[in-house]
Amino acid sequence: MGIGPVAFEYLAEMSTRFRPAGPSVMLGRQKIRLKKTRGKTFNRFAKALKRSGAQVDLAGVLQPDGYAEAMFRTLGFGDVDALDMADHEGAQVIWDLNKPVPEDWHGRFSFIFDGGTLEHVFDVAQSFANIHALLAPGGRFAAMTPLNGFAGHGFYQFSPELIWTYWKEMAGCDVHACRAVHLDGTYDEEMPDPRLVGRRVQPKSGPAWLGGMPNGRIALWYEVEKTGKGGIVGDVQQSDYQTRWAAEQTETRAMEMTT
């Protein structure tokens, strides 16, 4: 998907409270969709930067070839390499995320960004495990990935349930953000932990005829921190099913005690 004004705003805001202690990497060599002229696109980025609270010069994020290294460096994320399965776009770290990363790469990066790559990796579980392995304790992973309206774009569209269940429950990470957003910036809704709210978490600000889903291309922005609480443990199930099963078991035990 690349880095549009919405992802740029979230990254700029993130830069005001997090700076990586070690190397950084982006999944796929991402482009920033910012035109050099002071037209409509430039103004959208300028407004996004102002809302973020980051104190940087927007001109510093411009790069002649359109890629995002200058943007990351200007925001304070350091010199960011690109990880890809081939070097056709100039990636420095070559690996197929369908396969486990080498053990000597574990803990290699303090910041990892996905601007629309993991939905193109068939083995989602392995790709997530790779990200967890590549992150150093205290490191952060941020992503903007398809939620709805991207049929045919990649293999998958992700959901809030996947983010909370995998990164918090399985991987023991802190989830600092999980938001459903329209790529044009007209919609932004927090997607809370479904285990805490006790129900499925779905966008609800859109029209009723769409089931509450806003029209158009909706993405999921999330930011997680590797806490060092341990590695990925066991398997987990979808939260609302676990809640239902637990309630049924409690009811069954209560009935057994009264008979």
Side-chain angles (χ1 to χ4, degrees):
M1 292 192 298
I3 301 170
V6 177
F8 173 70
E9 179 177 344
Y10 288 143
L11 284 166
E13 186 280 327
M14 184 179 175
S15 75
T16 66
R17 52 186 170 78
F18 170 76
R19 294 296 172 93
S24 300
V25 70
M26 53 180 150
L27 306 183
R29 194 177 180 207
Q30 298 293 316
K31 286 191 173 182
I32 180 168
R33 306 193 183 283
L34 171 60
K35 296 178 182 178
K36 296 181 179 181
T37 58
R38 286 189 174 272
K40 182 177 180 180
T41 302
F42 189 97
N43 290 335
R44 286 183 65 196
F45 274 85
K47 291 177 181 178
L49 181 62
K50 184 177 181 179
R51 288 192 299 267
S52 75
Q55 303 298 313
V56 298
D57 182 0
L58 183 58
V61 310
L62 294 171
Q63 191 167 313
D65 59 8
Y67 286 103
E69 288 87 356
M71 181 210 70
F72 283 113
R73 190 164 49 249
T74 298
L75 291 178
F77 292 106
D79 292 325
V80 179
D81 286 337
L83 184 155
D84 209 334
M85 67 177 298
D87 64 356
H88 63 281
E89 288 187 300
Q92 299 88 358
V93 184
I94 308 302
W95 194 259
D96 180 357
L97 289 173
N98 286 292
K99 303 174 181 178
V101 294
E103 287 190 15
D104 60 356
W105 288 14
H106 288 194
R108 180 173 177 177
F109 299 106
S110 292
F111 174 62
I112 300 175
F113 175 72
D114 174 24
T117 294
L118 292 185
E119 71 269 21
H120 302 286
V121 180
F122 186 75
D123 194 335
V124 173
Q126 183 60 65
S127 68
F128 275 25
N130 283 334
I131 301 306
H132 185 267
L134 289 169
L135 269 181
R140 299 206 185 185
F141 170 49
M144 180 76 88
T145 193
L147 171 61
N148 196 57
F150 288 85
H153 171 80
F155 287 117
Y156 307 105
Q157 298 182 125
F158 292 172
S159 73
E161 177 75 41
L162 175 65
I163 305 310
W164 286 103
T165 295
Y166 185 88
W167 291 107
K168 181 180 178 182
E169 300 301 322
M170 284 192 70
C173 294
D174 289 338
V175 179
H176 292 284
C178 185
R179 310 192 67 81
V181 298
H182 199 297
L183 293 183
D184 67 4
T186 58
Y187 162 75
D188 184 323
E189 184 177 352
E190 181 181 359
M191 297 285 105
D193 184 352
R195 281 176 173 77
L196 296 182
V197 299
R199 57 173 172 77
R200 293 183 180 181
V201 172
Q202 299 169 307
K204 57 182 182 297
S205 298
W209 66 274
L210 283 174
M213 178 68 71
N215 196 14
R217 287 189 160 189
I218 308 301
L220 193 65
W221 166 267
Y222 59 99
E223 176 193 341
V224 302
E225 177 183 356
K226 186 173 182 177
T227 62
K229 296 176 182 177
I232 297 171
V233 293
D235 293 322
V236 291
Q237 305 295 330
Q238 188 169 326
S239 61
D240 62 303
Y241 288 123
Q242 286 186 310
T243 300
R244 185 190 308 174
W245 296 334
E248 289 174 353
Q249 290 173 352
T250 300
E251 183 179 351
T252 299
R253 286 194 296 267
M255 293 178 62
E256 291 174 345
M257 292 176 66
T258 60
T259 57

